[in-house]
Amino acid sequence: MNQQAAAPSEFGAIRENLKEIRYNISEALAKYRHSGDEVSIMAVTKTVAPEKINYAVSQGITLLGENRVQEYLSKKDSYDKSAQVHMIGHLQTNKVKYIIGEVSMIQSVDSLKLAGEINRLAVRDGIVMDVLLEVNIGDEESKSGISKDSIMTLAQQMQELSNVRIRGLMAIPPIGADEAVFAQMNELYCELRESKLSRVEADVLSMGMSGDYELAVKHGSTLVRIGTKLFGARKYMEV
Ligand SMILES: *Cc1c(COP(=O)(O)O)cnc(C)c1O
């Protein structure tokens, strides 16, 4: 199944990177969070060879993040099945059918239309699909996600969707974002948690990437999505 051999040093680098990430997270937790708080480390797999991904899984990674449906479908059979997969990239409504029942969470729900299609297929298949609402916290035109002012409205509208469960929020803060942006995300997450809306069982704040995960942990993140810091620089950039 392996497409290309990774040099032993590449595996060594992944092992060292993971050690450093875990250390930094534990430091941030100890400094800023309640004892007992935990943060999951997701390995973001875009452009990364399956054997490197499987190596990360062998080192204790239990969560993989996929950006593109096409890339995921071409790689998924090679993955170690012990890790769960979440969709984290922008998802077109007409592509939900390829991943429903395959991924354990869709983190990138950014419209009622998309949520409705996820629900339709979940009902058909007799499953409940866990989702996160993606917040465009920096109000950036180039990014998907919904504005923070519309999040609670969308959560309300989604109450009628019987087979979708809102597990929390996901955000990609702007590069170099002010710390206040991370704090805002945490406030919004708390508001959602306390909303008592049906279909909401929020326990996930997916926030933090290679460049900002420590700051994200400081401000309540429960799940950081790491690509570059774990696997090294990507050969090409994808959003
Ligand atoms: C690529 C990507 C990441 C990981 O980015 P790095 O900076 O390489 O850690 C996290 N989340 C999403 C949604 C991404 O597209």
Side-chain angles (χ1 to χ4, degrees):
M1 271 289 163
N2 292 342
Q3 278 92 345
Q4 69 218 81
S9 64
E10 294 190 85
F11 290 144
I14 293 169
R15 190 172 60 236
E16 290 308 308
N17 291 342
L18 189 54
K19 206 159 127 188
E20 188 181 323
I21 294 161
R22 283 184 173 130
Y23 176 79
N24 290 337
I25 289 175
S26 67
E27 290 283 290
L29 278 172
K31 209 161 159 187
Y32 300 113
R33 301 273 293 272
H34 300 295
S35 69
D37 280 9
E38 282 178 20
V39 172
S40 311
I41 302 171
M42 162 185 282
V44 176
T45 64
K46 61 190 173 221
T47 81
V48 179
E51 60 171 357
K52 286 203 205 173
I53 296 163
N54 289 341
Y55 181 76
V57 173
S58 79
Q59 298 302 301
I61 289 287
T62 59
L63 199 51
L64 306 177
E66 297 289 326
N67 281 79
R68 292 196 164 184
V69 171
Q70 209 54 46
E71 184 180 347
Y72 168 58
L73 294 179
S74 73
K75 285 158 80 180
K76 73 180 174 70
D77 290 339
S78 319
Y79 289 171
D80 185 326
K81 297 293 178 293
S82 64
Q84 292 193 1
V85 176
H86 290 184
M87 178 55 58
I88 60 171
H90 179 66
L91 182 59
Q92 287 172 287
T93 304
N94 63 4
K95 298 225 171 114
V96 177
K97 57 178 178 284
Y98 300 116
I99 61 163
I100 194 88
E102 297 276 348
V103 299
S104 63
M105 192 183 284
I106 297 173
Q107 294 202 358
S108 42
V109 169
D110 59 359
S111 71
L112 185 59
K113 181 169 170 243
L114 176 60
E117 174 66 357
I118 293 168
N119 187 63
R120 185 182 75 80
L121 294 171
V123 168
R124 183 198 68 182
D125 295 351
I127 58 173
V128 173
M129 195 67 220
D130 283 329
V131 304
L132 302 182
L133 306 184
E134 181 177 351
V135 188
N136 186 348
I137 191 68
D139 289 323
E140 295 171 284
E141 268 184 37
S142 61
K143 283 194 185 145
S144 48
I146 29 189
S147 75
K148 59 179 186 301
D149 302 330
S150 306
I151 285 290
M152 293 309 296
T153 308
L154 178 61
Q156 260 151 21
Q157 290 167 333
M158 285 173 65
Q159 284 190 97
E160 288 164 31
L161 305 178
S162 58
N163 290 44
V164 167
R165 182 165 46 208
I166 301 173
R167 293 282 304 275
L169 301 177
M170 187 266 261
I172 310 173
I175 293 166
D178 198 85
E179 204 171 330
V181 170
F182 293 80
Q184 268 173 23
M185 268 305 296
N186 198 11
E187 277 170 32
L188 195 55
Y189 172 62
C190 292
E191 189 182 340
L192 180 72
R193 277 173 73 105
E194 286 154 21
S195 69
K196 303 279 192 322
L197 291 171
S198 61
R199 318 311 318 153
V200 174
E201 282 174 46
D203 59 355
V204 182
L205 177 56
S206 173
M207 175 166 81
M209 315 196 336
S210 292
D212 60 14
Y213 67 96
E214 289 151 287
L215 202 50
V217 170
K218 177 175 176 183
H219 292 285
S221 171
T222 70
L223 189 165
V224 295
R225 309 177 309 266
I226 311 286
T228 315
K229 268 275 159 68
L230 182 59
F231 295 118
R234 285 183 287 275
K235 295 201 177 59
Y236 57 94
M237 283 298 289
E238 280 188 87
V239 181

